[in-house]
Amino acid sequence: MNPGGASAPSRTEGSAPTFGRVLRIAGGVYHVDDSDSVIQVSLRGRVKRKDSRIVSVGDLVELERVGDEMRIARLRPRHSALARHGVSKRREQVIVANVDQVGVVVSVTAPDPDFLMVDRLLALAALNEIDAFLVVNKTDLAPEGAGAAGPEEADGGDLDQYAALGVETMWTSAESAEGLEALAARLEGRVTVLSGQSGVGKSSLLNALVPGLDLRVGEISERRGRGRHTTVASALYPYPPGGYVADTPGLQYLALWDLDPAELQSGFAEVAEAAEGCRFADCRHRAEPDCAVVEGVERGSISRRRLESYLRLLDEAERA
């Protein structure tokens, strides 16, 4: 692999700097792929004094030797990032930097799809100009005779709507290997984040795609019907055919960070298209007169549930 875009020079003091990609961070130690191997490095003093949280998983960094240690000396510019609010809502917490695409993972059942999370992740990707696709996992658990999408009268129809919106949708099963070949081809040569609610099988898919990875797989709580969190921190894993895949914590509330509420509709293509026909340019599609989006819902050309997702995220953006 070549995370820095050039061959890695010798790591000796006084030589040209080495570039690498941060794979994970634990206890103040940064695990960096420098194209030859994964090395453990620390932050150089001037970077740490500025803000130790400036370096995140996925970042491309410049390494320099200081005595017997390799340290991160500089951070290269990011082309994208998935972020949420930190402990202080005034600060951004980057989950993964330099993302090429987001695979939004849901399951046919166990747990049932969290459509608000799907809409949130798809909107976040669109607003950050990151390619996104939907992975519907656990097709082996679909009721017999119902097909991969599940019963037509249940959640299957809602999952089918994303393909109608132009979102590439892949149907997979880590258990039966259905769809894994197509998913593997989609990941090659890219930095991919697989994200979604806990228990949908993200770690199982990665284990099936990357031999020897052996990520911990959680069980579904019978009482709550939800997955238990097995990933506690973001991490990038080299993908053998080329690229990287990220396993992220079960992110229930990825923030639409630093978002002008007026821009949110750009994350909902059908809402943005219909909004061109609204009477008011600043229509928020709540109860304004002559709202073309609300009219579209009444006609059935826009999903009422999708509009509800938009309005919930709009409330969040306005409160931020």
Side-chain angles (χ1 to χ4, degrees):
M1 289 185 197
N2 193 354
S7 59
S10 172
R11 296 194 301 271
T12 58
E13 191 167 9
S15 68
T18 298
F19 294 99
R21 188 184 298 273
V22 178
L23 302 186
R24 68 186 181 94
I25 305 169
V29 177
Y30 297 76
H31 298 249
V32 176
D33 181 0
D34 72 350
S35 80
D36 291 329
S37 61
V38 176
I39 59 176
Q40 296 183 19
V41 305
S42 59
L43 281 180
R44 193 163 186 174
R46 63 174 179 262
V47 179
K48 185 181 294 186
R49 285 192 297 272
K50 182 177 180 182
D51 187 350
S52 63
R53 289 171 295 185
I54 195 172
V55 180
S56 302
V57 168
D59 272 326
L60 293 171
V61 294
E62 183 177 316
L63 305 175
E64 293 181 348
R65 180 174 292 281
V66 179
D68 294 331
E69 297 182 2
M70 292 296 291
R71 297 184 184 177
I72 294 174
R74 297 173 189 83
L75 177 66
R76 299 188 74 182
R78 296 170 179 151
H79 68 75
S80 66
L82 288 178
R84 64 182 175 188
H85 289 304
V87 176
S88 167
K89 286 192 174 182
R90 298 177 183 177
R91 304 206 64 153
E92 177 187 36
Q93 179 187 2
V94 174
I95 306 304
V96 184
N98 297 310
V99 178
D100 295 321
Q101 60 182 3
V102 176
V104 181
V105 186
V106 297
S107 55
V108 172
T109 186
D112 293 334
D114 181 340
F115 291 105
L116 177 61
M117 174 171 278
V118 174
D119 293 336
R120 180 189 301 274
L121 289 167
L122 291 176
L124 187 67
L127 290 164
N128 284 281
E129 300 182 342
I130 299 173
D131 192 19
F133 59 98
L134 183 67
V135 179
V136 184
N137 196 30
K138 300 188 181 181
T139 55
D140 55 292
L141 298 182
E144 187 175 355
E152 186 175 341
E153 68 275 16
D155 290 328
D158 281 331
L159 289 171
D160 287 337
Q161 74 173 308
Y162 292 105
L165 292 171
V167 178
E168 180 182 357
T169 303
M170 313 182 79
W171 301 85
T172 64
S173 168
E175 184 69 24
S176 70
E178 178 185 354
L180 293 188
E181 185 175 347
L183 179 58
R186 191 69 163 77
L187 304 182
E188 188 171 346
R190 300 177 173 126
V191 177
T192 305
V193 169
L194 294 183
S195 194
Q197 69 200 99
S198 298
V200 296
K202 300 185 296 294
S203 296
S204 295
L205 286 172
L206 288 175
N207 285 340
L209 292 169
V210 184
L213 190 57
D214 197 26
L215 293 177
R216 184 180 167 209
V217 177
E219 299 177 352
I220 301 298
S221 166
E222 293 184 5
R223 181 174 65 85
R224 302 177 65 192
R226 300 178 184 174
R228 297 187 177 94
H229 295 270
T230 55
T231 304
V232 296
S234 298
L236 272 183
Y237 301 98
Y239 187 56
Y244 298 85
V245 290
D247 190 19
T248 58
L251 300 175
Q252 297 296 329
Y253 298 104
L254 254 178
L256 298 171
W257 174 258
D258 196 24
L259 174 70
D260 180 348
E263 297 177 0
L264 176 61
Q265 66 184 24
S266 299
F268 291 76
E270 73 277 35
V271 172
E273 181 179 0
E276 295 180 3
C278 292
R279 182 199 293 187
F280 302 107
D282 61 350
C283 183
R284 296 295 171 89
H285 321 308
R286 288 189 174 105
E288 296 89 342
D290 298 329
C291 173
V293 174
V294 173
E295 291 173 2
V297 171
E298 293 171 350
R299 290 195 308 268
S301 59
I302 296 176
S303 162
R304 185 175 300 277
R305 190 200 56 72
R306 283 273 292 173
L307 177 58
E308 290 172 354
S309 287
Y310 163 80
L311 292 176
R312 286 188 62 176
L313 296 179
L314 180 62
D315 286 343
E316 288 183 22
E318 290 175 338
R319 292 196 303 268

